[in-house]
Amino acid sequence: SSSRRYIAVPPQDSLATKMAFNRFHCLLLVVALLAAPRTAAANEASPIGKVLQMISDLQAKILKEGEGAQKVYEEFSEWCEERSKTLGHEIKTGKAEVAELQAAISKEASRIKSLETKIEKLSGELAADEADLKAATEIRGKERDAFLAQEKELAETIDVVRRAVGILEREMKGGASMLQLKGANSMVEALSVLVEASSLSTADARRLTALVQSSSEEEDVGAPAGAVYESHSGGIIETLTDLLDKSEEQLDAARNKETKDLHAFEMLEQSLKDEIKYSNKELKEAKEGIAAAGEKKASLEGDLQVTSKDLAGDTKALSDLHHECMTKAEDFEAETKSRGEELAALAKAKEAIKDNVGGAEDLSYGLNQVSLLQVARAGAGLSSRVGLAQNHVARLIRDLARKQRSAELAQLAIRMGSAISASAKLGEDPFAKIKGLIQDMIEKLEKEA
């Protein structure tokens, strides 16, 4: 902001005191002028012209002071206008900056709120994806365990069936158990023969029996061996061979299903992991965004506080400037009015002097130019004129007291009248006392100011 220039202007009370002082000064000149005829004969000089010249000089001085005050006030008025424009521009700029900062703060607050909503949504999605991945992993584990168990069982079955078929084929070609096998009446008896011959374990025999029974639910396993052989076109070997083929098919199917299930799980697992990875990335970015927006918002709020404070200061400065300029304008107007009243009082004093003394300012009072008789007559006329002047002075003070509604001036007028009367009786100079009274009043006004 631009630097201020302060111009001292007298306060209202000082202006009134100055006005009163000038008026009393004028009255003092009048009193001195009216006293002049008493001393003119002794001084051989005309003081009336000097007094009138003093009044004219005082008028010129007041006019010059008025011109100087006018120049100072015009400079001050120009400064007021420039300062007002500067502050107005600063206030306008400050308001715009405040509005921009408030909008920016609101934008960051909305961004924070939006990111918080996004974080809440991402957190929910992330939790769901992680739960799905955990559940899918658990299911895959169970499926894998079931497959491994099935694969093991089928592999063992295939192995037992292959070994049984091999033993049967060998025995049927002329082994020690051939006759017993031919005499077997059922599949159970045939397998028992192999067990007794130590060609097949009891556990393997039970397994084969269970497999045959489960694969041929419509067959009567306890039927005569001849019937079994007839129904399967080759007897027990063909039955076991069919069972072998079926077991191998089941193993292949289980392995194919495991491959498909594993592939499906891997695809689901990859998809869920990608979603979790993406969600974590977005979650991190959202949290970083909230931190950045919060930091920016705090910075903007700090700027807003400073700008608002400056704006308030500029607004107050403009208000103070307006009050100051208006006060100075009123003081200048009062001073100008006071100066005009002073000039009017001086003009009136001038006119009163001329009315009271006539053409005395043109007279020469040298004793060598008049006779004793003329001096005596002049003295008598002068004494009469002095008496009139004394009464005129008292009347002027009373008129001024009524105009100004001043108790002090009214009291001064009374005291002046008393002093004039007392001095006339005692043959003393009343103007000395009158001037003393006026001087006391002036000193009192100066002290009060």
Side-chain angles (χ1 to χ4, degrees), residues 7 21 93 95-96 99-100 105 124 126 190 240 253 277 297 299 313 333-334:
I7 302 176
F21 178 82
T93 303
K95 287 181 178 179
E100 290 177 0
I105 291 171
L126 184 61
L240 291 177
K277 181 179 178 181
K297 180 173 176 286
S299 176
E333 183 179 357

Side-chain angles (χ1 to χ4, degrees), residues 30-41:
V30 173
V31 173
L33 175 62
L34 294 176
R38 290 175 55 90
T39 59

Side-chain angles (χ1 to χ4, degrees), residues 74-124:
E74 287 176 355
E75 292 177 355
F76 177 77
S77 179
E78 182 179 355
W79 174 81
C80 282
E81 184 177 356
E82 292 178 355
R83 180 62 177 155
S84 179
K85 287 181 180 179
T86 300
L87 287 173
H89 176 72
E90 291 177 355
I91 289 173
K92 182 179 179 181
T93 303
K95 287 181 178 179
E97 290 179 355
V98 166
E100 290 177 0
L101 288 170
Q102 288 175 339
I105 291 171
S106 178
K107 181 180 178 181
E108 294 304 318
S110 298
R111 174 173 170 77
I112 291 173
K113 185 175 180 180
S114 175
L115 288 173
E116 287 175 344
T117 302
K118 184 177 182 180
I119 286 175
E120 184 178 358
K121 181 181 178 182
L122 287 172
S123 298

